[in-house]
Amino acid sequence: MAQDAFEEIVADFEFLEDWEDRYRHVIDMGKAMEPLDAALKTPATKVEGCASQVWLHPRIEGGRFGFDGDSDALIVRGLIAVLRALYNGLPVNEVPKVDAGGELARLSLQDHLSAQRSNGLRAMIQRIRETATAAA
């Protein structure tokens, strides 16, 4: 079910055996993302339940789901990039069917994130699912 872009991340993680290198890779992915336009950083796009500031701006084009996002924490920007690879481009009705926990487990992220970061990641996934469900 995962997107090709997500499969590339899985392959990168398999190549990078050391968690420090994987962590750095996630941060680099976040740095490579375009920043979210300041006008889109509104209360409506802010994700509650995250330790840092997080904004997700969804868009539906041609029946396909996508979102842009931003955070004031580098690792969280990287997690947003991972979620974009997992969800962007899917048909809207497929988004809620993604087993995000199972897919992310392939990266062993849950073993290396703080409880607060894990809660924030779950909050982002919940927001993505709710947005797609409402749009479907």
Side-chain angles (χ1 to χ4, degrees), residues 92-114:
V92 176
N93 64 335
E94 293 295 317
V95 170
K97 298 176 187 175
V98 172
D99 177 11
E103 294 295 340
L104 294 172
R106 297 169 61 201
L107 303 177
S108 299
L109 287 174
Q110 69 282 2
D111 298 335
H112 300 281
L113 294 177
S114 69

Side-chain angles (χ1 to χ4, degrees), residues 108-128:
S108 299
L109 287 174
Q110 69 282 2
D111 298 335
H112 300 281
L113 294 177
S114 69
Q116 285 184 315
R117 293 280 184 243
S118 293
N119 288 339
L121 185 59
R122 281 191 293 278
M124 288 187 281
I125 292 165
Q126 185 63 32
R127 172 68 67 91
I128 289 165

Side-chain angles (χ1 to χ4, degrees), residues 41-124:
K41 293 180 179 179
T42 66
T45 61
K46 187 172 181 186
V47 179
E48 298 299 328
C50 298
S52 54
Q53 302 279 341
V54 178
W55 299 270
L56 299 181
H57 180 257
R59 59 190 188 294
I60 312 295
E61 297 170 357
R64 297 207 169 263
F65 182 81
F67 75 93
D68 297 311
D70 208 345
S71 176
D72 59 354
L74 288 176
I75 188 63
V76 177
R77 277 183 60 87
L79 294 174
I80 292 168
V82 170
L83 291 176
R84 289 180 69 202
L86 184 60
Y87 288 108
N88 280 5
L90 286 176
V92 176
N93 64 335
E94 293 295 317
V95 170
K97 298 176 187 175
V98 172
D99 177 11
E103 294 295 340
L104 294 172
R106 297 169 61 201
L107 303 177
S108 299
L109 287 174
Q110 69 282 2
D111 298 335
H112 300 281
L113 294 177
S114 69
Q116 285 184 315
R117 293 280 184 243
S118 293
N119 288 339
L121 185 59
R122 281 191 293 278
M124 288 187 281

